[in-house]
Amino acid sequence: MNTKFSLIHWNAACSAAALVAVALALSGMRSLATESTANVSTNTYGSGKQFKTTVERRSQGDLSAEDLHQASLLTSQFLTHVDQANQELADSHPDTARTDIEKAQSLVRVIRGLLPTTTVTTTVTDSQGKEIYRDEQQVQDDQIPIFTETWPWKWSNPLSRPRRTKPRSRV
């Protein structure tokens, strides 16, 4: 099943993307997975005549096919809450929107807990081998495929508003 978006939904998509970015940034970058295996890769750049840059990536955690499907399902639910919050804000119902935003934030914490983390260490040394720069960052791949079967909308016409499978409640 192909999901299509139209320009009518562009503003909603932009608002949703902004809320997603904020929620992901607020959620932190630490994984809650307890069992992990470290996978290390190192790349070196530069001739070393003046400088040499080394980038080490140490990945921890594994994402099984079942966990990926779970993350996809939860991400779909997350997007549903973000969309609902966006609609409630547009309808001037901030309290209802707040509830959906809190639910979305809760799901982000769960999703982040499922995803493996990678520690990226960048080191620059001069020609004598003296370290002149070092940076370490925790990163997490957050591009999760969405299985369209889990999306709560039916997209029959890309130029019309999506029809929800369950009605929205009005407060």
Side-chain angles (χ1 to χ4, degrees), residues 22-50:
V22 168
L24 291 175
L26 292 175
S27 70
M29 301 299 264
R30 296 185 186 254
S31 174
L32 300 176
T34 54
E35 57 181 3
S36 63
T37 56
N39 182 11
V40 180
S41 70
T42 304
N43 294 47
T44 303
Y45 305 95
S47 64
K49 291 180 183 176
Q50 289 184 314

Side-chain angles (χ1 to χ4, degrees), residues 131-148:
E131 186 177 289
I132 58 171
Y133 173 83
R134 182 178 189 83
D135 183 53
E136 188 173 290
Q137 295 182 2
Q138 297 285 326
V139 296
Q140 214 169 16
D141 185 10
D142 55 9
Q143 296 183 359
I144 301 169
I146 303 296
F147 297 106
T148 57

Side-chain angles (χ1 to χ4, degrees), residues 73-93:
L73 174 73
L74 295 175
T75 301
S76 175
Q77 188 66 36
F78 163 80
L79 291 172
T80 300
H81 286 299
V82 170
D83 177 63
Q84 183 69 28
N86 186 39
Q87 291 177 23
E88 293 299 335
L89 287 172
D91 293 342
S92 299
H93 295 50

Side-chain angles (χ1 to χ4, degrees), residues 151-170:
W151 193 256
W153 294 331
K154 302 288 185 201
W155 295 86
S156 56
N157 180 350
L159 297 178
S160 67
R161 179 133 177 105
R163 185 186 58 187
R164 292 188 157 277
T165 56
K166 66 177 189 177
R168 282 194 317 178
S169 62
R170 293 278 184 194

